[in-house]
Amino acid sequence: MAKVWSEETKLARWLDVELAALEGWAEVGAVPAEALREIRERAVPPAPERVAELERETQHDVAAFVDAVASELGPAGRFFHYGLTSSDVVDTALSLQVRDAGALLLEGLERAQQAVVSRAEEHRETLIMGRTHGVHAEPTTFGLKLAGWAFELDRGRTRLARALEGMRIGKLSGAVGNYAAVDPEVERVACERLGLKPEPVSTQILQRDRHAELLSALALLAASLEKFALEIRHLARTEVDEVAEPFARGQKGSSAMPHKRNPVISERICGLARVVRAAAHVGLENVALWHERDISHSSAERIVFPDAFLALDYMLDRFAWLMEGLVVRADRMRRNIDASHGLFFSQRVLLALIDSGLERADAYRLVQRSAMRSGEEERDFRELVRADAEIAGRVDLEAVFDLTAFARHVDTVFERLRALREEPVHV
């Protein structure tokens, strides 16, 4: 990913666009075939140091690039950058970099999703306490929790793929997009050579709603990874202790406290998500530009595109590693379930009373009475219910207090998950 966004690669992509444009010019007869051949043989991406040296004089990066390349081409060099404006090169080349970077993200996303699916299948029936508002609610399974993550990653993949397709666009339409100095056929030929589609209507630049959509897709994916990492952090707290990050031999969790085993990778993912979300904000700010173009978007994009792609690439790699090696403490999950004094059966008792013919408000009052006593006095909810004649005489408590009931439909979700994984993945 670092290579995709390096200065060397950027200049190489600029040259790819220039050469593709020359092929278009040669095809329409404006550039001699011999000149094209000579330029192709002699043109090489200039060293970033040489371009930077020339830019100190020109105060224009593309002009410095053109001078650096053309100076090595001899007489044929007069055709280099023929009829183009800087944004023809910069915007089209950025689309090429985005395509390459996007392919890497999709590969990382596939690995991360596969890791989540594998662990979900492993723990499809591993009971864990479900929590709402941070408070014990009802048991679910750890596999079901992870299945939800897998589907969310798939939605992220769909959004990312759609946004990348929206960026598979180039433009060689000149200073204000009206083809005054370039034949539209040149644009068509060049984009075809580069594997891009011509922008239907451009100004001096590609329209930045495309870029904003892409950065927003990256931000949403980063937000999902933060959500998963935050859950791992919560489950790893000492008071919960249901999962733990991999911890290698010789690793140290604290310089001061030898006992520490901290969820540092999860915390790192959460921190970097903020960086990627900030890039999405920049993308939205860059949509509105003056008339056919100003340059306010350019400086920001030089930062946010490499940073967002690099950060998210790293986040996906670390999240996949985290899921592959996550320590799952099923015994602790069960102890935390048992620590709730059976209160999580309250809805099942409520529904059983309603099924017995009792009005809902009356049933709720009876169940809540025992539930509040259980919580305040730390007494077992099941025993309190069994001792309550208004409840025990109306329902089959053995059937109500069935822990397996909370996982009885988990296979339905995993059938959907299996169908999801059988769909073809395009990377």
Side-chain angles (χ1 to χ4, degrees):
M1 186 63 79
K3 183 179 180 182
V4 169
W5 295 107
S6 68
E7 282 295 301
E8 290 83 359
T9 297
K10 182 185 78 172
L11 296 175
R13 291 290 172 260
W14 285 6
L15 183 58
D16 289 340
V17 175
E18 295 277 7
L19 294 177
L22 282 168
E23 289 193 23
W25 282 118
E27 193 155 315
V28 301
V31 170
E34 179 62 24
L36 172 61
R37 183 189 63 79
E38 187 174 343
I39 291 172
R40 275 210 163 275
E41 289 177 354
R42 301 181 64 174
V44 295
E49 296 78 13
R50 175 57 177 158
V51 174
E53 178 186 359
L54 293 172
E55 189 180 352
R56 283 192 286 272
E57 178 182 347
T58 64
Q59 294 297 302
H60 195 292
D61 56 352
V62 176
F65 161 79
V66 170
D67 290 348
V69 176
S71 66
E72 304 296 324
L73 299 179
R78 71 185 187 278
F79 293 111
F80 193 75
H81 199 64
Y82 184 78
L84 303 183
T85 191
S86 298
S87 292
D88 289 333
V89 177
V90 172
D91 275 11
T92 306
L94 177 59
S95 293
L96 296 176
Q97 288 179 279
V98 163
R99 181 182 64 191
D100 295 342
L104 293 176
L105 285 188
L106 289 171
E107 289 175 5
L109 184 50
E110 173 63 16
R111 178 193 165 198
Q113 188 179 23
Q114 183 54 53
V116 172
V117 170
S118 177
R119 299 311 298 273
E121 290 282 3
E122 179 186 351
H123 292 286
R124 67 156 63 195
E125 295 183 1
T126 301
L127 287 172
I128 184 174
M129 179 55 71
R131 298 168 173 92
T132 57
H133 304 273
V135 177
H136 282 201
E138 291 184 346
T140 180
T141 78
F142 190 58
L144 195 61
K145 185 190 292 283
L146 297 184
W149 297 5
F151 277 97
E152 188 163 341
L153 286 172
D154 188 71
R155 293 192 295 275
R157 178 177 63 86
T158 299
R159 282 189 291 263
L160 177 58
R162 182 174 60 240
L164 288 170
E165 180 63 22
M167 281 289 296
R168 198 168 63 84
I169 297 290
K171 62 88 60 181
L172 300 175
S173 55
V176 294
N178 62 355
Y179 301 99
V182 61
D183 190 318
E185 183 65 8
V186 172
E187 179 184 65
R188 186 196 69 77
V189 171
C191 286
E192 184 180 87
R193 299 291 193 275
L194 296 168
L196 304 175
K197 296 179 293 187
E199 173 71 272
V201 179
S202 63
T203 56
Q204 189 176 93
I205 59 172
L206 294 175
Q207 300 311 288
R208 258 45 194 180
D209 61 300
R210 298 181 181 277
H211 303 66
E213 181 184 20
L214 175 60
L215 291 170
S216 296
L218 301 186
L220 277 166
L221 185 51
S224 292
L225 294 176
E226 180 185 19
K227 167 186 169 179
F228 310 152
L230 185 63
E231 179 70 7
I232 290 171
R233 289 169 60 191
H234 279 311
L235 297 180
R237 287 181 298 124
T238 303
E239 295 82 359
V240 181
D241 198 29
E242 293 176 349
V243 303
E245 290 191 358
F247 199 81
R249 184 179 298 276
Q251 184 175 340
K252 295 182 179 181
S254 167
S255 63
M257 297 171 285
H259 74 278
K260 293 286 279 178
R261 180 172 175 168
N262 304 322
V264 292
I265 298 302
S266 299
E267 291 171 334
R268 201 176 299 167
I269 290 171
C270 290
L272 288 173
R274 301 165 189 170
V275 174
V276 184
R277 278 199 298 276
H281 177 75
V282 173
L284 293 170
E285 292 290 327
N286 283 346
V287 172
L289 302 174
W290 287 20
H291 305 300
E292 275 59 57
R293 181 233 186 175
D294 63 55
I295 203 172
S296 60
H297 65 289
S298 178
S299 54
E301 285 182 354
R302 293 166 191 251
I303 297 170
V304 297
F305 268 94
D307 281 4
F309 273 93
L310 282 160
L312 188 53
D313 186 52
Y314 178 80
M315 291 168 68
L316 285 167
D317 177 79
R318 291 295 80 198
F319 178 70
W321 171 88
L322 178 57
M323 290 308 304
E324 289 163 353
L326 187 70
V327 177
V328 179
R329 294 172 172 154
D331 290 345
R332 177 68 181 200
M333 292 175 180
R334 182 55 186 268
R335 289 202 301 273
N336 285 342
I337 290 173
D338 294 340
S340 69
H341 306 298
L343 277 168
F344 53 82
F345 284 111
S346 69
Q347 182 178 209
R348 289 183 57 77
V349 177
L350 172 66
L351 294 178
L353 287 172
I354 293 172
D355 290 341
S356 75
L358 204 60
E359 290 294 327
R360 181 181 181 88
D362 293 334
Y364 196 100
R365 175 182 54 80
L366 290 177
V367 176
Q368 189 179 49
R369 181 175 64 192
S370 293
M372 292 301 104
R373 281 191 65 194
S374 173
E376 292 166 3
E377 301 174 14
E378 295 191 5
R379 295 180 60 184
D380 190 88
F381 173 72
R382 288 159 292 197
E383 294 307 315
L384 290 172
V385 168
R386 288 190 178 101
D388 190 329
E390 290 187 83
I391 299 176
R394 301 185 65 97
V395 300
D396 179 359
L397 293 180
E398 291 305 315
V400 168
F401 296 134
D402 177 12
L403 190 59
T404 65
F406 294 101
R408 63 180 175 175
H409 293 305
V410 71
D411 287 346
T412 300
V413 172
F414 278 87
E415 287 171 7
R416 297 168 184 163
L417 183 62
R418 190 173 300 110
L420 174 73
R421 296 304 298 160
E422 289 172 355
E423 294 176 3
V425 176
H426 303 289
V427 177

